[in-house]
């Protein structure tokens, strides 16, 4: 039997002891809880190579990742090691199962659901349907104003549209049907808070109407959506079987939905394959697509004879950043506790730059410090659209990436700020078992993802007038965070920036030469 030597190297990297234990484990079900930057991709690659070198044919390994980019990356690394094998996404796997069964594979995209939600909302008389919903979660307590904003299809309208989009995705991701709404209405009647009870009853009525019209559209057009495809694949596997895999490896498992978990479970039961799931509950950020952290936290419930491993040594972040962000994320006691550690040291891993009205006020100084190749992240698309530079993306899209330095823009407090408050609406409790037991828990995980992309420093651009509550929390709880410009010109209100003159360093107004205010550097 092929085994590992004490200094096993792969693609130029040495496997640490915990990674080697995972590779060598013969457990029937393995859950790997892998901290950010802890080498989970290397571990997956090593596990596949180990299985193949011990006689398992590459075609007998079902390997699944969540995105095309991640699956292509793993496929490339395997090719570099002389292995050519399929790496699936759940979409590709579902499609292949349906094709082999000659099933209907006319799959509709997300735009169909968004359009139906739009049409239902536009024809709904909000004054009648939602009179008790004061919309304070959407930034205003004035209903007449809110109705006007919805009618004009402003950001408030789009936020409500996104709320229903998330609800329907979670509803279908849990494999619910129309009868489930009866349960929801009964549950809601037991709500003691009158405001919540009235609000959610009316939102449930709209959600039910959306679901009915969406289901009618799919049936009329002989189409299925992604959730239907997975459910159909489950039925085919249970009733007709599937290729006799010997091993199942799944990456980013923390983002799985209930139905994706059921598909894996049905394949495992049919083939008797061993399974290894890898992920990080700290980085579960796709609730809006139907993911449910329950399948990760309760892995033992779904897969028997489970052995759990933790990868707690990170090779990306500094010890100081890990200490700050571990304290931040573990305020939610539901997260799995892990002691992340690193050999990298960086006494000041976070720099905060305040601005008064626009990030343009501090942009040049930040870029000078962070470098032109810094990764620029925003919570929403609108946060990065106005930035005329490269390396910019939303935090969701940055998952799995890393950079020397990271700049996070528009850290503001607001309904569509960071944290985004629409994603935490109480209404979602009907379709998930773990809706925000701790305030902004998924937004907290998203912020954690953003902050752990860096190899060195994070540069946070913060609205001085309405700073993000996450930034306020970091400052309050930690000493090794440097505020670069917590001072503004008393004459014109623009930030004071560090300058150099004949007498050394000083603070000068950003409005120079129109404003010549200065003060001593300290």
């Amino acid at each position: 039997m092929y085994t590992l030597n004490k200094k096993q190297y792969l693609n130029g990297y040495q496997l640490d002891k915990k990674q080697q234990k995972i590779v060598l484990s013969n457990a029937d079900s393995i859950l790997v809880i892998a901290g950010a930057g802890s080498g989970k991709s290397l571990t997956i690659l090593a596990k596949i190579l180990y299985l193949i070198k011990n006689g398992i044919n590459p075609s007998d390994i079902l390997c699944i990742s969540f995105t095309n980019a991640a699956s292509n990356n793993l496929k490339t690394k395997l090719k570099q090691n002389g292995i050519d094998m399929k790496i699936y996404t759940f979409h590709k796997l579902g499609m292949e199962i349906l094709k082999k069964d000659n099933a209907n594979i006319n799959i509709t995209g997300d735009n169909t659901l968004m359009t139906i939600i739009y049409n239902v909302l536009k024809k709904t008389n909000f004054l009648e349907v939602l009179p008790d919903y004061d919309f304070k979660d959407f930034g205003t307590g004035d209903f007449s104003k809110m109705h006007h904003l919805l009618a004009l299809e402003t950001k408030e309208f789009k936020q409500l549209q996104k709320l229903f989009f998330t609800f329907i995705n979670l509803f279908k991701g849990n494999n619910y049907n129309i009868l489930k709404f009866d349960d929801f209405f009964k549950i809601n009647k037991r709500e003691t808070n009158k405001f919540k009870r009235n609000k959610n009853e009316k939102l449930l009525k709209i959600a039910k109407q959306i679901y009915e019209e969406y289901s009618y559209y799919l049936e009329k057009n002989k189409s299925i959506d992604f959730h239907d495809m997975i459910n159909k694949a489950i039925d085919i596997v249970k009733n007709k079987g599937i290729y006799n895999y010997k091993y199942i490896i799944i990456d980013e498992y923390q983002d799985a939905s209930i139905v994706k978990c059921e598909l894996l479970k049905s394949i495992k039961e049919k083939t008797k394959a061993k399974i290894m799931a890898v992920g990080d509950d700290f980085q579960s950020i796709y609730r809006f697509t139907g993911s449910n952290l329950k399948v990760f936290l309760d892995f033992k419930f779904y897969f028997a004879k489970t052995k759990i491993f933790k990868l707690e040594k990170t090779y990306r972040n500094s010890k100081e950043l890990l200490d700050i962000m571990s304290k931040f994320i573990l305020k939610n006691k539901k997260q799995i506790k892990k002691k992340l550690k690193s050999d990298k040291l960086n006494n000041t891993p976070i720099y905060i730059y305040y601005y008064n009205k626009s990030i343009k006020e501090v942009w040049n100084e930040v870029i000078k410090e962070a470098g032109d190749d810094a990764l620029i992240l925003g919570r929403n698309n609108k946060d990065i659209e106005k930035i005329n530079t490269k390396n910019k993306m939303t935090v969701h899209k940055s998952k799995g990436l890393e950079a020397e330095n990271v700049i996070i823009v528009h850290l503001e407090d607001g309904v569509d700020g960071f944290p985004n408050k629409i994603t935490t609406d109480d209404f979602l409790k009907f379709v998930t078992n773990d809706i925000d037991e701790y305030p902004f828990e998924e937004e907290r995980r998203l912020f954690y993802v953003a902050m752990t992309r860096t190899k060195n420093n994070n540069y946070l651009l913060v609205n001085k007038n309405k700073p993000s509550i996450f930034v306020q929390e970091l400052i309050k709880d930690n000493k090794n965070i440097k505020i670069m410009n917590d001072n503004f010109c008393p004459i014109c209100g623009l930030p004071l920036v560090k300058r150099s003159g004949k007498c050394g360093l000083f603070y000068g107004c950003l409005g120079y030469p129109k404003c010549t205010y200065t003060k001593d550097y300290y």
Side-chain angles (χ1 to χ4, degrees), residues 56-57 59-62 241-248 267-273:
I56 294 183
N57 194 296
S59 62
D60 293 339
I61 302 172
L62 173 60
I242 192 172
Y243 180 83
N244 194 31
Y245 292 107
K246 294 180 180 178
Y247 219 102
I248 303 168
I267 294 173
K268 187 180 190 315
E269 288 174 350
K270 207 72 178 179
T271 63
K272 309 303 179 188

mmCIF file of all heavy atoms in Angstrom, residues 56-57 59-62 241-248 267-273:
data_model
loop_
_atom_site.group_PDB
_atom_site.id
_atom_site.type_symbol
_atom_site.label_atom_id
_atom_site.label_comp_id
_atom_site.label_asym_id
_atom_site.label_seq_id
_atom_site.Cartn_x
_atom_site.Cartn_y
_atom_site.Cartn_z
ATOM 1 N N ILE A 56 -7.488 3.093 -6.490
ATOM 2 C CA ILE A 56 -8.832 3.541 -6.871
ATOM 3 C C ILE A 56 -8.753 4.274 -8.200
ATOM 4 O O ILE A 56 -7.950 5.190 -8.380
ATOM 5 C CB ILE A 56 -9.460 4.439 -5.784
ATOM 6 C CG1 ILE A 56 -9.706 3.614 -4.517
ATOM 7 C CG2 ILE A 56 -10.766 5.067 -6.264
ATOM 8 C CD1 ILE A 56 -10.385 4.368 -3.402
ATOM 9 N N ASN A 57 -9.582 3.870 -9.149
ATOM 10 C CA ASN A 57 -9.622 4.501 -10.460
ATOM 11 C C ASN A 57 -10.172 5.923 -10.335
ATOM 12 O O ASN A 57 -11.130 6.148 -9.598
ATOM 13 C CB ASN A 57 -10.517 3.676 -11.395
ATOM 14 C CG ASN A 57 -10.338 4.085 -12.842
ATOM 15 O OD1 ASN A 57 -10.642 5.210 -13.221
ATOM 16 N ND2 ASN A 57 -9.856 3.153 -13.647
ATOM 17 N N SER A 59 -12.113 7.523 -12.136
ATOM 18 C CA SER A 59 -13.552 7.569 -12.458
ATOM 19 C C SER A 59 -14.427 7.066 -11.309
ATOM 20 O O SER A 59 -15.636 7.267 -11.301
ATOM 21 C CB SER A 59 -13.832 6.747 -13.710
ATOM 22 O OG SER A 59 -13.489 5.385 -13.502
ATOM 23 N N ASP A 60 -13.797 6.411 -10.311
ATOM 24 C CA ASP A 60 -14.539 5.915 -9.148
ATOM 25 C C ASP A 60 -14.641 6.949 -8.028
ATOM 26 O O ASP A 60 -15.217 6.676 -6.974
ATOM 27 C CB ASP A 60 -13.883 4.646 -8.595
ATOM 28 C CG ASP A 60 -13.997 3.472 -9.555
ATOM 29 O OD1 ASP A 60 -14.889 3.518 -10.414
ATOM 30 O OD2 ASP A 60 -13.195 2.530 -9.443
ATOM 31 N N ILE A 61 -14.030 8.125 -8.268
ATOM 32 C CA ILE A 61 -14.079 9.208 -7.265
ATOM 33 C C ILE A 61 -15.015 10.293 -7.775
ATOM 34 O O ILE A 61 -14.802 10.863 -8.853
ATOM 35 C CB ILE A 61 -12.679 9.799 -7.023
ATOM 36 C CG1 ILE A 61 -11.701 8.704 -6.570
ATOM 37 C CG2 ILE A 61 -12.749 10.919 -5.981
ATOM 38 C CD1 ILE A 61 -10.253 9.174 -6.508
ATOM 39 N N LEU A 62 -16.062 10.572 -7.023
ATOM 40 C CA LEU A 62 -16.979 11.667 -7.344
ATOM 41 C C LEU A 62 -16.525 12.894 -6.553
ATOM 42 O O LEU A 62 -16.637 12.937 -5.330
ATOM 43 C CB LEU A 62 -18.416 11.300 -6.961
ATOM 44 C CG LEU A 62 -19.462 12.421 -7.092
ATOM 45 C CD1 LEU A 62 -19.553 12.922 -8.526
ATOM 46 C CD2 LEU A 62 -20.826 11.950 -6.587
ATOM 47 N N GLY A 241 -30.621 4.061 -9.380
ATOM 48 C CA GLY A 241 -29.203 3.912 -9.101
ATOM 49 C C GLY A 241 -28.333 4.925 -9.813
ATOM 50 O O GLY A 241 -28.815 5.831 -10.505
ATOM 51 N N ILE A 242 -27.020 4.770 -9.662
ATOM 52 C CA ILE A 242 -26.036 5.681 -10.244
ATOM 53 C C ILE A 242 -24.732 4.904 -10.389
ATOM 54 O O ILE A 242 -24.596 3.799 -9.856
ATOM 55 C CB ILE A 242 -25.845 6.931 -9.338
ATOM 56 C CG1 ILE A 242 -25.044 8.026 -10.065
ATOM 57 C CG2 ILE A 242 -25.190 6.558 -8.006
ATOM 58 C CD1 ILE A 242 -24.982 9.348 -9.291
ATOM 59 N N TYR A 243 -23.778 5.463 -11.096
ATOM 60 C CA TYR A 243 -22.465 4.838 -11.248
ATOM 61 C C TYR A 243 -21.927 4.449 -9.862
ATOM 62 O O TYR A 243 -22.070 5.192 -8.905
ATOM 63 C CB TYR A 243 -21.505 5.800 -11.944
ATOM 64 C CG TYR A 243 -20.111 5.242 -12.138
ATOM 65 C CD1 TYR A 243 -19.813 4.421 -13.223
ATOM 66 C CD2 TYR A 243 -19.085 5.514 -11.220
ATOM 67 C CE1 TYR A 243 -18.544 3.896 -13.397
ATOM 68 C CE2 TYR A 243 -17.813 4.998 -11.384
ATOM 69 C CZ TYR A 243 -17.556 4.184 -12.476
ATOM 70 O OH TYR A 243 -16.298 3.656 -12.644
ATOM 71 N N ASN A 244 -21.286 3.322 -9.780
ATOM 72 C CA ASN A 244 -20.881 2.767 -8.490
ATOM 73 C C ASN A 244 -19.594 3.416 -7.954
ATOM 74 O O ASN A 244 -18.524 2.812 -7.937
ATOM 75 C CB ASN A 244 -20.690 1.252 -8.610
ATOM 76 C CG ASN A 244 -20.610 0.585 -7.245
ATOM 77 O OD1 ASN A 244 -21.219 1.049 -6.280
ATOM 78 N ND2 ASN A 244 -19.855 -0.492 -7.163
ATOM 79 N N TYR A 245 -19.729 4.665 -7.519
ATOM 80 C CA TYR A 245 -18.579 5.383 -6.971
ATOM 81 C C TYR A 245 -18.073 4.710 -5.693
ATOM 82 O O TYR A 245 -18.847 4.136 -4.929
ATOM 83 C CB TYR A 245 -18.964 6.835 -6.651
ATOM 84 C CG TYR A 245 -19.264 7.667 -7.870
ATOM 85 C CD1 TYR A 245 -20.572 8.046 -8.192
ATOM 86 C CD2 TYR A 245 -18.234 8.099 -8.707
ATOM 87 C CE1 TYR A 245 -20.842 8.815 -9.311
ATOM 88 C CE2 TYR A 245 -18.503 8.866 -9.832
ATOM 89 C CZ TYR A 245 -19.810 9.222 -10.126
ATOM 90 O OH TYR A 245 -20.077 9.976 -11.235
ATOM 91 N N LYS A 246 -16.762 4.865 -5.465
ATOM 92 C CA LYS A 246 -16.166 4.320 -4.239
ATOM 93 C C LYS A 246 -15.837 5.414 -3.217
ATOM 94 O O LYS A 246 -15.693 5.133 -2.032
ATOM 95 C CB LYS A 246 -14.883 3.539 -4.592
ATOM 96 C CG LYS A 246 -15.149 2.289 -5.416
ATOM 97 C CD LYS A 246 -13.846 1.561 -5.729
ATOM 98 C CE LYS A 246 -14.129 0.305 -6.552
ATOM 99 N NZ LYS A 246 -12.873 -0.408 -6.925
ATOM 100 N N TYR A 247 -15.715 6.637 -3.732
ATOM 101 C CA TYR A 247 -15.385 7.740 -2.832
ATOM 102 C C TYR A 247 -16.059 9.020 -3.318
ATOM 103 O O TYR A 247 -16.108 9.292 -4.522
ATOM 104 C CB TYR A 247 -13.869 7.956 -2.757
ATOM 105 C CG TYR A 247 -13.390 8.281 -1.365
ATOM 106 C CD1 TYR A 247 -12.774 7.333 -0.561
ATOM 107 C CD2 TYR A 247 -13.587 9.564 -0.816
ATOM 108 C CE1 TYR A 247 -12.349 7.620 0.731
ATOM 109 C CE2 TYR A 247 -13.164 9.858 0.471
ATOM 110 C CZ TYR A 247 -12.553 8.896 1.238
ATOM 111 O OH TYR A 247 -12.145 9.182 2.530
ATOM 112 N N ILE A 248 -16.594 9.806 -2.361
ATOM 113 C CA ILE A 248 -17.206 11.097 -2.660
ATOM 114 C C ILE A 248 -16.431 12.172 -1.913
ATOM 115 O O ILE A 248 -16.229 12.074 -0.701
ATOM 116 C CB ILE A 248 -18.688 11.150 -2.219
ATOM 117 C CG1 ILE A 248 -19.492 10.027 -2.875
ATOM 118 C CG2 ILE A 248 -19.301 12.515 -2.537
ATOM 119 C CD1 ILE A 248 -20.881 9.839 -2.270
ATOM 120 N N ILE A 267 -26.671 9.132 -2.950
ATOM 121 C CA ILE A 267 -25.573 8.507 -3.713
ATOM 122 C C ILE A 267 -24.750 7.600 -2.806
ATOM 123 O O ILE A 267 -24.393 6.472 -3.180
ATOM 124 C CB ILE A 267 -24.672 9.582 -4.357
ATOM 125 C CG1 ILE A 267 -25.450 10.371 -5.415
ATOM 126 C CG2 ILE A 267 -23.431 8.934 -4.995
ATOM 127 C CD1 ILE A 267 -24.699 11.567 -5.977
ATOM 128 N N LYS A 268 -24.458 8.093 -1.607
ATOM 129 C CA LYS A 268 -23.675 7.288 -0.660
ATOM 130 C C LYS A 268 -24.405 6.003 -0.278
ATOM 131 O O LYS A 268 -23.811 4.914 -0.228
ATOM 132 C CB LYS A 268 -23.358 8.109 0.600
ATOM 133 C CG LYS A 268 -22.396 7.401 1.551
ATOM 134 C CD LYS A 268 -22.098 8.230 2.775
ATOM 135 C CE LYS A 268 -20.973 7.655 3.604
ATOM 136 N NZ LYS A 268 -21.023 6.214 3.838
ATOM 137 N N GLU A 269 -25.706 6.109 -0.017
ATOM 138 C CA GLU A 269 -26.486 4.935 0.382
ATOM 139 C C GLU A 269 -26.585 3.921 -0.752
ATOM 140 O O GLU A 269 -26.574 2.710 -0.528
ATOM 141 C CB GLU A 269 -27.884 5.373 0.821
ATOM 142 C CG GLU A 269 -27.884 6.103 2.166
ATOM 143 C CD GLU A 269 -29.244 6.651 2.532
ATOM 144 O OE1 GLU A 269 -30.158 6.631 1.669
ATOM 145 O OE2 GLU A 269 -29.405 7.117 3.678
ATOM 146 N N LYS A 270 -26.652 4.427 -1.988
ATOM 147 C CA LYS A 270 -26.798 3.532 -3.141
ATOM 148 C C LYS A 270 -25.488 2.847 -3.496
ATOM 149 O O LYS A 270 -25.460 1.685 -3.920
ATOM 150 C CB LYS A 270 -27.306 4.328 -4.351
ATOM 151 C CG LYS A 270 -28.094 3.505 -5.348
ATOM 152 C CD LYS A 270 -29.449 3.136 -4.776
ATOM 153 C CE LYS A 270 -30.274 2.364 -5.766
ATOM 154 N NZ LYS A 270 -31.591 1.980 -5.195
ATOM 155 N N THR A 271 -24.364 3.564 -3.331
ATOM 156 C CA THR A 271 -23.071 3.034 -3.779
ATOM 157 C C THR A 271 -22.205 2.486 -2.637
ATOM 158 O O THR A 271 -21.210 1.816 -2.906
ATOM 159 C CB THR A 271 -22.271 4.142 -4.479
ATOM 160 O OG1 THR A 271 -22.001 5.188 -3.520
ATOM 161 C CG2 THR A 271 -23.038 4.724 -5.654
ATOM 162 N N LYS A 272 -22.577 2.827 -1.395
ATOM 163 C CA LYS A 272 -21.771 2.467 -0.210
ATOM 164 C C LYS A 272 -20.402 3.141 -0.247
ATOM 165 O O LYS A 272 -19.431 2.660 0.359
ATOM 166 C CB LYS A 272 -21.585 0.947 -0.089
ATOM 167 C CG LYS A 272 -22.877 0.150 -0.166
ATOM 168 C CD LYS A 272 -23.871 0.580 0.900
ATOM 169 C CE LYS A 272 -25.164 -0.216 0.799
ATOM 170 N NZ LYS A 272 -26.230 0.306 1.695
ATOM 171 N N ALA A 273 -20.309 4.250 -0.957
ATOM 172 C CA ALA A 273 -19.037 4.970 -1.057
ATOM 173 C C ALA A 273 -18.691 5.651 0.260
ATOM 174 O O ALA A 273 -19.567 6.003 1.056
ATOM 175 C CB ALA A 273 -19.133 6.026 -2.168
#
